[in-house]
Amino acid sequence: MVGPLLKAALPSIPVVNQLPGVRKTGGDPSLLHEARTATVTCERMRAYAAVCGFPVKDTVPLTFPHVLAFPLHMAVMTSPQFPFPAIGTVHIANSVTAHRPVAVGETLDLEVHASALRPHPKGTAVDFVATATADGATVWESTSTYLRRGKSDAVVSTGSTDGSTEVVPGRVTWRLAGDVGRRYAAVSGDHNPIHLYPLTAKALGFPRQIAHGMWSLARCVAALENRLPDAVTVDAEFKKPILLPGTVAFGQDPVDDGLAFALTSPKSGAPHLIGRTRRV
């Protein structure tokens, strides 16, 4: 994983970021596209399920195809034509849709493309759209929204995914170990330094390592899984970082055609993640 991580980090290093092959040349990210074929292996699915709290079945967790598509996310983000360095670009929201269960052993054709840039109240946002097809039919898709902090435009909507400002109160407390980020990195391939160790997180402005947004979403989906239909969309927004080790409170409530859920601070009630499910 040193190669992809180094490629992601180099554009953030002064002087080095002006070297040929490292320097960001800019352009329209919507022109960037990557594809690969991947087979769901039982070994990797079991490792992922163990880290994220899913039961082991003959179908994969809703969020699992994201880790198969993640190398394509990184390929797009580390392209010289992508306008921002990967390090410092923040994952702020995700929408995942399963059109049917994906079986262990199934081979998926995966594609990822970026959207055009758009203004955001805290800077500039861009969507990475991933699709997984089998036998020519789309079986799974997701939209990952990333933010590059910068000049704010207060009149721009954030495009909230939950449809409400109300946060579901926490009812179950989860204690998270300090190695959650390292364990998730091992099964997902996302070795961003902010998730690994106190020293690497402090170098990037955090008091200590933080949980991956996609781990926190996966952990919530695992808690809801037995109440979700086979064809479902789960939308989530990542709010305050979850410091590791740490404690979060999980809550869920029924809403029209689905469930609202959240991870919050047990002390203040401030949200770390808010989300909602709905039938497809």
Side-chain angles (χ1 to χ4, degrees):
M1 293 301 166
V2 175
L5 182 59
L6 182 62
K7 191 174 181 181
L10 289 179
S12 300
I13 302 174
V15 180
V16 173
N17 61 11
Q18 296 303 310
L19 295 175
V22 176
R23 182 172 62 89
K24 289 290 188 177
T25 59
D28 182 357
S30 67
L31 301 177
L32 298 174
H33 172 271
E34 296 287 341
R36 71 185 290 238
T37 297
T39 299
V40 178
T41 66
C42 183
E43 180 181 12
R44 188 169 188 188
M45 186 276 291
R46 284 177 175 270
Y48 179 88
V51 172
C52 299
F54 289 97
V56 174
K57 302 190 296 187
D58 58 1
T59 56
V60 306
L62 171 69
T63 49
F64 177 80
H66 177 84
V67 304
L68 300 181
F70 184 72
L72 304 181
H73 283 241
M74 289 303 297
V76 170
M77 199 171 286
T78 57
S79 166
Q81 286 74 44
F82 189 75
F84 310 125
I87 300 297
T89 299
V90 184
H91 192 184
I92 60 170
N94 217 93
S95 178
V96 183
T97 297
H99 295 281
R100 66 158 173 81
V102 174
V104 175
E106 194 164 357
T107 297
L108 302 175
D109 294 316
L110 297 153
E111 295 186 5
V112 169
H113 70 269
S115 72
L117 302 178
R118 67 178 186 276
H120 183 278
K122 295 182 179 179
T124 302
V126 60
D127 292 331
F128 279 43
V129 179
T131 58
T133 61
D135 298 323
T138 299
V139 297
W140 179 94
E141 55 192 317
S142 76
T143 300
S144 302
T145 302
Y146 295 94
L147 171 69
R148 191 70 186 185
R149 295 186 184 277
K151 185 178 179 180
S152 175
D153 184 348
V155 302
V156 179
S157 169
T158 60
S160 177
T161 58
D162 70 331
S164 170
T165 57
E166 184 176 351
V167 178
V168 179
R171 299 183 177 92
V172 179
T173 299
W174 296 340
R175 297 184 183 276
L176 310 181
D179 67 348
V180 165
R182 297 190 292 276
R183 293 173 61 216
Y184 185 76
V187 299
S188 69
D190 184 350
H191 293 265
N192 189 324
I194 63 176
H195 303 303
L196 303 181
Y197 299 98
L199 185 62
T200 57
K202 285 179 181 178
L204 293 167
F206 294 91
R208 59 183 188 271
Q209 68 269 35
I210 64 173
H212 294 74
M214 286 305 296
W215 177 85
S216 60
L217 176 56
R219 184 64 187 86
C220 290
V221 172
L224 300 171
E225 188 182 47
N226 62 356
R227 300 181 63 189
L228 299 181
D230 287 342
V232 65
T233 292
V234 177
D235 298 321
E237 294 181 38
F238 307 119
K239 299 295 187 180
K240 294 183 178 296
I242 299 172
L243 297 175
L244 299 172
T247 303
V248 295
F250 172 76
Q252 58 171 302
D253 276 332
V255 293
D256 291 344
D257 199 33
L259 299 165
F261 61 94
L263 284 181
T264 56
S265 165
K267 292 183 178 180
S268 68
H272 296 293
L273 177 154
I274 56 176
R276 182 166 179 167
T277 76
R278 64 180 189 273
R279 291 181 180 275
V280 174

